[in-house]
């Protein structure tokens, strides 16, 4: 039944988040606005993940390399999470489809794993300009298929991702279901990119205040990743897709980020299709603030919410099996 999404306004923005947003607006945003979008620059962006070696894992967390896929991947176990647990989070990292990876997101994913009490399979899908969006989606669907082949039940798998990975957290289940695979238990999308129409982002009230994403630069990303694609292509634009049949969804976004509009549009689209959806809007937070939780402490509370959501939707599968 069509309905309105459940929108939860999360008030409170600490000094750390305010100072971080101000710093990013004065430093990182001008750099991103001026970076050349050339093949050489994009290949350099792909090396950003190596800087992630400076990001330490939370105490008690560990990782195990996975070599069974066509792309890099690893198991991430938060502190106290058992490798024998048969519930899992399938995570796709953000980075504009061209940057970041296992290292940059390891600390946040370990925290999500601990909050959920289940391991996470972190997938470093192959990225443009070396591959097309079709290959990106293939890597993500194959990771989901591999989990099923390992004996994980679909009702025990939560798909999650941030930014570009948030896009994939919607696109992957849609393509997997089209290929005849069962739907997962739930979707958790952090500041997801969902709409290929960049003009809407440029016109959004948050465009001038986003801490580090200049909206016009998103147009370069769309041209690279989705060349020649119709902006309303239902198989590449989640906000135009037939999303009926998708599982319960949690979307988190910051109130001052330019992709808030994407999150709101996607939440309305899901609710109109009868998909249970909760949109959390966190006051004063920027894009994927959860990854900066050591500075923006509200990120820890948001991660706890993701963990609670993962436990809730997988518990529904337990009830179905017991019935």
């Amino acid at each position: 039944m069509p309905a309105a999404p459940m929108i939860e306004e999360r008030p409170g923005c600490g000094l750390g988040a305010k100072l971080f947003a101000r710093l990013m607006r004065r430093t990182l945003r001008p750099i991103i606005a001026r970076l050349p979008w050339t093949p050489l620059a994009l290949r350099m962006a792909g090396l950003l993940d190596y800087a992630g070696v400076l990001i330490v894992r939370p105490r008690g967390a560990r990782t195990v390399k996975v070599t069974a896929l066509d792309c890099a991947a690893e198991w991430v176990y938060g502190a106290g999470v058992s490798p024998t647990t048969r519930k899992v989070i399938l995570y796709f990292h953000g980075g504009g489809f061209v940057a970041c990876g296992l290292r940059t997101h390891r600390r946040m994913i370990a925290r999500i794993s601990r909050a959920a009490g289940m391991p996470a399979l972190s997938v470093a899908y192959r990225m443009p300009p070396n591959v097309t969006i079709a290959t990106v989606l293939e890597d993500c669907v194959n990771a989901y298929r591999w989990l099923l082949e390992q004996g994980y039940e679909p009702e025990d798998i939560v798909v999650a991702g941030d930014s570009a990975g948030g896009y994939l957290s919607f696109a992957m289940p849609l393509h997997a279901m089209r290929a005849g695979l069962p739907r997962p238990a739930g979707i958790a999308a952090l500041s997801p990119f969902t709409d290929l129409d960049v003009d809407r982002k440029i016109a959004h009230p948050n465009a001038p205040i986003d801490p580090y994403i200049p909206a016009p630069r998103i147009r370069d990303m769309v041209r690279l990743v989705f060349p020649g694609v119709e902006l309303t292509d239902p198989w590449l634009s989640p906000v135009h897709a037939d999303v009926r049949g998708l599982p319960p969804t949690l979307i988190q976004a910051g109130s001052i980020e330019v992709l808030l509009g994407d999150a709101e549009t996607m939440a309305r689209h899901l609710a109109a299709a009868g998909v249970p959806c909760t949109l959390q809007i966190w006051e004063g937070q920027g894009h994927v603030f959860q990854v900066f939780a050591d500075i923006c402490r509200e990120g820890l509370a948001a991660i706890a919410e993701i963990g609670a959501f993962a436990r809730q939707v997988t518990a529904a599968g337990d009830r179905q099996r017991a019935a």
Side-chain angles (χ1 to χ4, degrees):
M1 286 287 293
M6 181 180 294
I7 299 177
E8 299 177 354
E9 302 277 355
R10 295 305 172 95
C13 180
L15 180 61
K18 293 177 181 177
L19 292 177
F20 182 72
R22 188 177 303 172
L23 176 64
M24 291 296 99
R25 197 171 291 119
R26 294 180 178 179
T27 57
L28 186 57
R29 181 179 171 120
I31 292 173
I32 293 176
R34 291 172 173 79
L35 278 176
W37 199 266
T38 63
L40 176 60
L42 292 172
R43 286 181 172 81
M44 293 298 292
L47 299 176
L48 180 62
D49 185 50
Y50 290 100
V53 298
L54 302 174
I55 304 173
V56 299
R57 287 171 290 189
R59 182 176 299 178
R62 64 188 186 90
T63 60
V64 177
K65 187 176 181 180
V66 173
T67 59
L69 303 175
D70 291 329
C71 59
E74 67 182 16
W75 284 110
V76 180
Y77 300 93
V81 174
S82 170
T84 62
T85 301
R86 299 306 294 174
K87 300 178 188 295
V88 62
I89 294 169
L90 175 59
Y91 198 94
F92 305 124
H93 69 83
F97 297 99
V98 298
C100 299
L102 302 180
R103 300 172 184 85
T104 55
H105 283 63
R106 192 173 284 151
R107 185 171 177 84
M108 178 183 71
I109 294 173
R111 283 172 162 162
I112 293 173
S113 168
R114 181 180 181 182
M118 60 189 74
L121 178 63
S122 177
V123 177
Y125 48 89
R126 290 169 288 178
M127 297 186 291
N130 300 315
V131 300
T132 65
I133 186 62
T135 299
V136 175
L137 289 167
E138 180 183 1
D139 282 349
C140 296
V141 172
N142 284 343
Y144 181 56
R145 181 181 286 109
W146 182 77
L147 283 176
L148 296 173
E149 291 171 348
Q150 301 311 299
Y152 289 92
E153 298 293 337
E155 57 266 26
D156 292 332
I157 302 174
V158 177
V159 180
D162 63 278
S163 193
Y167 167 93
L168 294 170
S169 72
F170 291 114
M172 187 287 292
L174 289 170
H175 283 256
M177 291 162 62
R178 186 186 192 189
L181 298 177
R183 76 175 192 177
I187 296 171
L190 290 59
S191 301
F193 168 77
T194 63
D195 187 355
L196 305 188
D197 188 345
V198 181
D199 289 339
R200 295 184 188 179
K201 304 178 211 316
I202 294 174
H204 194 275
N206 282 356
I209 64 172
D210 186 292
Y212 63 93
I213 298 181
R217 292 318 303 261
I218 303 176
R219 196 184 306 280
D220 294 315
M221 180 195 76
V222 171
R223 286 171 177 163
L224 172 76
V225 181
F226 305 93
V229 169
E230 288 290 335
L231 301 183
T232 58
D233 185 333
W235 284 109
L236 290 176
S237 178
V239 296
H240 294 287
D242 181 357
V243 296
R244 290 173 297 177
L246 283 183
T249 298
L250 170 66
I251 301 176
Q252 293 182 336
S255 70
I256 61 172
E257 66 167 306
V258 72
L259 288 188
L260 174 60
D262 281 40
E264 292 172 327
T265 302
M266 191 67 198
R268 289 192 297 267
H269 185 50
L270 289 165
V275 178
C277 178
T278 298
L279 169 62
Q280 296 178 349
I281 303 175
W282 292 74
E283 179 186 357
Q285 303 299 323
H287 187 61
V288 195
F289 63 96
Q290 301 88 341
V291 81
F292 306 112
D294 294 287
I295 302 170
C296 307
R297 304 300 287 179
E298 294 80 8
L300 295 176
I303 288 171
E305 296 274 8
I306 297 168
F309 171 79
R311 293 194 303 273
Q312 176 187 354
V313 294
T314 55
D318 292 338
R319 291 191 295 270
Q320 289 174 3
R321 283 188 289 266

